Structure formats: C-alpha cells, structure tokens
Amino acid sequence: MNTTPLPKKIPLAQILVTIAALALAGAAFFLTRGIITSWCLSPLPGTALTDCGNAPSLNIETPAEGTPAATADPLAALPTAAAPIPEAALPPTWDGASRVSVLLLGLDTADGSGDRAGPARSDTMILLTIDPQTKTAGMLSIPRDLWVNIPGFGYGRINTAYMQGDAYKVPGGGPALAMQTVEQVIGVPVQYYAQIEFWAFTKLIDDLGKIEVNVTKKISIDPVGPGADDIILPVGVHSLGGVEALAYVRQRHTEGGDVDRANRQQQVILAVRDKILDPTNFTTMLANAPEMYSHIQEGVHTNLTFDDMMRLGMLVKDIPLESIKRGVIDETMFTFQTVSVNGQTQQVLKPISYKIRELRDSIFSAGITSPMATGADALDIARQEGASIVVYNATGTSGLAETTAQYLQSLGLNVTGFESAGQIFNATVVVDHRGKPYT
C-alpha cells in the first residue's frame, strides 16, 4: 500500500495547520456497519452511468464478457506467505489552482472494531471535491454496499475494493484500487485519498474537546466499549465525545437507514470543521497538539504531500459553509433487485442513472458560473482540465461541426473529432462524461 505518512519531525507551530488540512477527512472516516442493500452499476469509465438491466432477478455469476465475477471469499486463494504491496506511482503535484478530489475512507479493521477479523474494508466512502478558483467544495457519500465492477476483480460490493487491493497486493494496495473503482463508477477523476481507522477517529474527536451536533430526530446510539449502554439523544444540540460521535455516525437502524447515516456523517464533518475554525477552541487544540499529531501519524494515511495538506487546509478555512455542497445517493436514485452470486442470493440496488448523474453534476459543477466574477480565467482553467472534446453537428448548416471544432482548437482546447449528430436538435446539448465543468 502506497501511503505517505506525515514527516516525523514537524515544528509544533505547524501542527494545527496540518490538523486543519485533515479536518474534513478526519471527521468523514466514520464507521458504517452491517450489510445493507447495494446496486449494480456500469463498469465503463468516462461515460454516463447506465442501467444494469430491467429483469426482476439477475444472475451475475457469469457477468459481461471480460468481467469475471468476484469469488464469494476473495481471500480464499491467497498465498499464506506475506508479501509487500507494490508501490503505485505518486499523483502529480497539485498546482494549487485546479479542482481536486479526495476519497475519504473510514476503515473497518479488526483492531478498531473489535467485532470482526481479517483485512480492512472501507465502511465509509465520501468523495470530497474542492475548487480553489471558485472557493467551493462538495461532499458525495457513496453507499458501502454499492454493487460495482472492481477493476481486475469483477463485480462486488464497493467496500471490498480496499480489502482486495491490499489482499492481492495490487500496486498501491487498497487505497489505489478503491480510488480506481470510485473513479469509474462516479465518472470523475480522483487524485488523492485519506484514510483513518476507528480508534483514531474517536481519539481526534476527544482531542478537539467534543463536537456540537444538532439532532433533528430522536435517535438511540450504542457506543462501543465495555460497560457502554445505549444512549437516547432527543431532538436538540448535543456535545459528543469520540465514542459517542462514533456511535452517532454508525447507527443505521433508523427510518432512513444508510441514507440517514450518510447525512449524519456529513453533519459531523462540518461539526469538526466548525470546532477547528472556532477561535475559542485554539487553546484546547494547542494544549492537545502533541496528542493530535501522534494520533494523526498513527491512524491516518494519505498520498497527499505535507505541503499539499497545508495548502488544502488553508483553502478549506476560506470556503464558507453555504459554498459546501452536500449529496447522498438515496432511495430516489435506485430500485431494488435480487441477484445470485456464487449460489448466494443477495439484494442489490439498480441505479436510476440520470438521477445519479444529476446529483454528481450538481456537486462537481458547483460554482462554475462564478470564476469570471472573481477574476479567474475560465478558459485557462478549461485548458488545464485537458478534457477531450467531440463536436456533433445537430443543425441544418453543413460543415458547422468542423468550423466549430477549429474554433475551439484555436482557443487551445483538446478537440479530438467532429461529425454529424444524425438528427436535428432545437438547442445545444452538452454532455459531460468526466466532471470537467469549466470545459
């Protein structure tokens, strides 16, 4: 697994900046538990999501050609001897101006959970996007049991991508395979990851001195640990320590199930952000800085460089709350189906493709109308995105696609082809397959 731990010796004065950079990530790695429904999605990268079929029952023991089904026990064929995980190529250095995406991973490990054994699974996956030009950000929660094509392993629940990446020693290990899987499912580039283990999440919350959450529906939570009893949280604002916050984001036995849980995870992310940016809490953070630094070093891993973390931290503090878009793939975006996997019956969620695309685009295209107003050069940003463009002529004017393609090329954009659309449209249609909003 290719991780870039924080440097061993960093001046204490820089520690709070590092913590701020990891604030959204640290709070996002909440543990989700139990098996819920999932879905089947198109494995095609760079294209819009497609339906998985309309049959009421699917048998996916033999999926599409070139896409082998994952085994029921993905670890059954592993050699017993341990071997190092090959390192993956580091991502390019962030230029500080381009939109950046970070996959936040909350790990379900044997040491952290106490109720399972074996390699870690990513029980929480939240895709965070930040646009420095427009000072906007977004969070997209991905269900842990999403039924997807894991590159090289066939169809499986998305939370097993991390496990299989580590277990089968793919380059970059679990984080790399998880990023590849999310990138092809959601259809946007994912440059970075940040992961945290259960115990580190609880410690960091305690180091902050508790967080404030506004409970909108009465909820019963079950803190992990000996002697811990269920806690009823009535409607209202509550101060939660690490163990209570962990139980709050893990609870799935509510009316909204996993959708409620995803919303609570995002709520806690923003609560941590507020706590870190609150000047009245600076004294507490300074006093606990050595412990926080230790917990980050031991329980948090990322392929972000220390400099990039500092720059992201400084950027995040300047993004107002109203400019942070939030989205959860919910029950309006899928239908239930039953599948047979290696002789075992499972229930999955068939996506309503256009609704998922709309949610994705609303989050990853946030603020695209504002760069000119803030003095940024939108055309220059579009060139940096490097999107491949194809122009189709859907008018009655012959040769218009070619002349339009030539014009776009003269602006420095990457036009790879032009042709007839084969039909007449009443308005221009733009299809964005890869989340390139400025293009």
Side-chain angles (χ1 to χ4, degrees):
M1 177 173 59
N2 177 29
T3 59
T4 304
L6 298 177
K8 293 297 183 182
K9 294 182 178 180
I10 301 173
L12 188 60
Q14 293 182 337
I15 292 176
L16 287 182
V17 179
T18 306
I19 294 169
L22 290 172
L24 293 183
F29 314 136
F30 314 123
L31 330 188
T32 53
R33 184 72 77 207
I35 296 177
I36 61 167
T37 52
S38 62
W39 66 48
C40 171
L41 286 174
S42 164
L44 298 177
T47 60
L49 300 174
T50 58
D51 291 344
C52 304
N54 297 312
S57 179
L58 301 175
N59 189 315
I60 50 179
E61 292 179 276
T62 307
E65 181 179 355
T67 308
T71 60
D73 181 3
L75 305 181
L78 287 179
T80 55
I85 295 174
E87 291 189 359
L90 291 175
T93 302
W94 180 45
D95 59 16
S98 301
R99 176 184 288 273
V100 62
S101 296
V102 183
L103 180 61
L104 310 178
L105 300 164
L107 298 189
D108 173 12
T109 61
D111 291 340
S113 64
D115 56 5
R116 64 166 301 275
R121 292 172 172 83
S122 54
D123 267 8
T124 293
M125 303 181 82
I126 299 178
L127 191 57
L128 170 69
T129 181
I130 300 174
D131 189 343
Q133 299 293 339
T134 61
K135 297 292 177 63
T136 59
M139 293 183 287
L140 175 61
S141 291
I142 305 169
R144 68 186 290 274
D145 292 318
L146 206 64
W147 190 257
V148 301
N149 183 26
I150 301 172
F153 292 88
Y155 286 93
R157 298 184 185 278
I158 199 168
N159 73 327
T160 66
Y162 186 99
M163 177 191 69
Q164 296 192 75
D166 269 0
Y168 286 95
K169 310 291 191 286
V170 304
L177 189 57
M179 284 194 298
Q180 293 171 23
T181 303
V182 169
E183 183 170 295
Q184 86 168 4
V185 169
I186 303 301
V188 296
V190 181
Q191 299 92 352
Y192 304 103
Y193 74 88
Q195 67 183 56
I196 191 170
E197 298 183 16
F198 290 177
W199 67 266
F201 167 75
T202 61
K203 294 291 186 182
L204 288 171
I205 295 293
D206 287 336
D207 292 338
L208 287 173
K210 296 188 175 183
I211 58 173
E212 304 293 322
V213 298
N214 183 21
V215 176
T216 58
K217 295 181 181 179
K218 185 175 73 172
I219 185 174
S220 173
I221 62 175
D222 183 15
V224 175
D229 297 322
D230 287 358
I231 299 174
I232 303 297
L233 298 178
V235 173
V237 177
H238 297 269
S239 295
L240 303 181
V243 173
E244 293 80 16
L246 180 59
Y248 182 68
V249 298
R250 289 181 64 195
Q251 176 60 277
R252 66 184 181 90
H253 299 295
T254 62
E255 182 180 357
D258 198 56
V259 173
D260 281 353
R261 178 167 53 179
N263 281 311
R264 290 195 301 273
Q265 291 170 358
Q266 294 187 7
Q267 181 189 25
V268 170
I269 290 176
L270 297 178
V272 171
R273 170 188 176 275
D274 292 343
K275 191 75 172 183
I276 290 178
L277 298 182
D278 183 359
T280 63
N281 197 46
F282 288 173
T283 301
T284 299
M285 288 194 294
L286 283 171
N288 294 335
E291 290 79 9
M292 297 179 75
Y293 178 54
S294 175
H295 296 149
I296 289 173
Q297 280 196 311
E298 295 176 13
V300 178
H301 302 280
T302 179
N303 63 343
L304 282 159
T305 65
F306 180 66
D307 287 344
D308 283 346
M309 283 191 292
M310 290 182 63
R311 289 196 292 172
L312 279 173
M314 298 304 292
L315 175 61
V316 167
K317 75 177 180 60
D318 292 331
I319 298 178
L321 182 62
E322 60 271 18
S323 296
I324 301 176
K325 297 274 289 185
R326 298 170 56 186
V328 176
I329 298 174
D330 61 25
E331 62 278 354
T332 68
M333 302 173 193
F334 52 72
T335 57
F336 292 93
Q337 288 198 336
T338 300
V339 300
S340 175
V341 183
N342 298 302
Q344 297 182 353
T345 299
Q346 298 183 12
Q347 191 175 61
V348 300
L349 304 181
K350 174 175 175 274
I352 302 174
S353 304
Y354 77 92
K355 290 188 177 181
I356 296 175
R357 284 198 302 271
E358 288 175 353
L359 174 64
R360 177 198 69 184
D361 293 344
S362 71
I363 294 173
F364 285 82
S365 299
I368 63 173
T369 60
S370 61
M372 299 304 290
T374 59
D377 188 338
L379 178 58
D380 183 58
I381 303 172
R383 295 189 190 105
Q384 294 177 31
E385 288 181 335
S388 298
I389 301 171
V390 178
V391 182
Y392 295 89
N393 189 353
T395 76
T397 304
S398 177
L400 188 57
E402 180 178 5
T403 56
T404 302
Q406 292 172 349
Y407 169 71
L408 293 174
Q409 287 176 327
S410 73
L411 298 177
L413 299 176
N414 179 30
V415 180
T416 61
F418 58 88
E419 56 188 278
S420 171
Q423 59 180 311
I424 302 297
F425 286 14
N426 292 326
T428 299
V429 176
V430 179
V431 181
D432 178 6
H433 290 308
R434 295 289 289 171
K436 307 287 188 179
Y438 295 99
T439 301

